Amino acid sequence: MAYVDDCDAPAPAAGPDRAEVPAGTGGGAPPATVKIRVAGGVGGGKTTFVGAVSEIEPLSTEELLSGVGAGRDPLHGVEEKTTTTVALDFGRITLDERHVLYLFGTPGQHRFWFLWEELCAGALGAVVLADTRRLADCFPAVDFFERRGIGFIVAVNEFDGGHRYGPEEVREAVGLGPEVPVVRCDARLASSGTGALAALVRHLLCMSAVSSSSSESGEPP
C-alpha cells in the first residue's frame, strides 16, 4: 500500500527481523528514545504487534474474557478472542543506531479509555491498528490522536480471511486526511511490524520538518 504523504521517503528494505529507517545527520550520538502508542479496537492485534516486534520480553496484562466482559464488549467478527488487555502492553525495539522506541499498547474497550490519557503523556506518535473485519473500531483512536495533534499512521492488520481493501477505500472509510500514511501490516510478523514503525518515524520526521519550516517563515504549520 503506497504512502500518500509526499514527504515520505521510499519504503526501506526490510530484513527478516528489522526494518531500517533513513539515516539522519550526526554520528556517534546516543540514540533518541521515543514513546509510541499502539492503539485500535478490541481484537485488532495490538498485543500481538507489540509482542512480535519487541526485542525484550514484552509486558502484557492479558486476562481471560469473562462472561460479563464479553457481554459488555461485543465480539462480532472476533469470536475466537479469549483474552483481552486490561491495562497495557509494553515493549522496546531498536530501529537503528539513532532510534529506540518504547511501545505502549492500550486496551480497546471503552471502559478502559481513562488509561489513554495517562499512557499518552509524552508520546511522540502512534500506530492505529485497523481490523477490516471491524473497521469502525479504530475510529475512536483516530479521533483521539487527531484532537491532540499527535502524529499517527494507520496500519491495516490483514487477518487471514479478512477482506482486502485498497488504500483509498480505507482512507475514505476512516475519514483520514491525505497527510496520514496508510500501510499494510501483519501484526504477527516482526518485519512487518517494524516496517510500520519505520513508516511512523518517517512521518514524524516529516511533520517536524514541515513545522520547523513554517516556524522559520512565520506561517502557521
Side-chain angles (χ1 to χ4, degrees):
M1 187 176 293
Y3 302 120
V4 296
D5 189 345
D6 291 338
C7 294
D8 285 330
D17 295 308
R18 290 288 180 268
E20 297 180 354
V21 296
T25 60
T33 57
V34 180
K35 181 179 180 181
I36 298 297
R37 280 276 308 274
V38 180
V42 176
K46 300 179 295 295
T47 299
T48 301
F49 182 96
V50 173
V53 301
S54 180
E55 62 196 22
I56 62 173
E57 184 68 26
L59 168 65
S60 179
T61 57
E62 287 276 284
E63 296 290 344
L64 290 173
L65 277 170
S66 65
V68 174
R72 296 178 66 181
D73 305 308
L75 300 177
H76 57 278
V78 290
E79 290 82 5
E80 73 283 359
K81 186 173 176 61
T82 59
T83 62
T84 189
T85 299
V86 296
L88 61 87
D89 299 308
F90 173 77
R92 184 188 73 199
I93 176 173
T94 301
L95 279 183
D96 60 19
E97 70 278 1
R98 297 185 60 240
H99 301 91
V100 177
L101 309 185
Y102 291 100
L103 309 177
F104 291 80
T106 53
Q109 297 94 326
H110 186 275
R111 65 182 184 275
F112 292 130
W113 282 2
F114 67 92
L115 293 170
W116 284 31
E117 290 287 357
E118 186 71 22
L119 293 174
C120 194
L124 189 61
V127 174
V128 176
L129 286 173
D131 178 357
T132 58
R133 301 169 302 176
R134 294 161 54 108
L135 193 58
D137 285 6
C138 75
F139 293 179
V142 168
D143 184 65
F144 181 89
F145 297 121
E146 284 183 338
R147 287 178 179 272
R148 287 156 182 80
I150 296 175
F152 68 96
I153 68 167
V154 170
V156 182
N157 193 8
E158 297 188 326
F159 286 88
D160 294 337
H163 187 76
R164 301 295 192 259
Y165 291 94
E168 292 311 311
E169 291 179 288
V170 173
R171 183 175 304 283
E172 181 178 357
V174 181
L176 297 173
E179 74 283 355
V180 179
V182 178
V183 300
R184 285 195 175 99
C185 176
D186 186 331
R188 300 168 298 182
L189 303 179
S191 57
S192 183
T194 52
L197 291 168
L200 173 62
V201 170
R202 289 196 300 272
H203 180 51
L204 296 176
L205 290 173
C206 179
M207 289 178 61
S208 177
V210 170
S211 178
S212 296
S213 176
S214 298
S215 297
E216 292 174 359
S217 64
E219 297 177 358

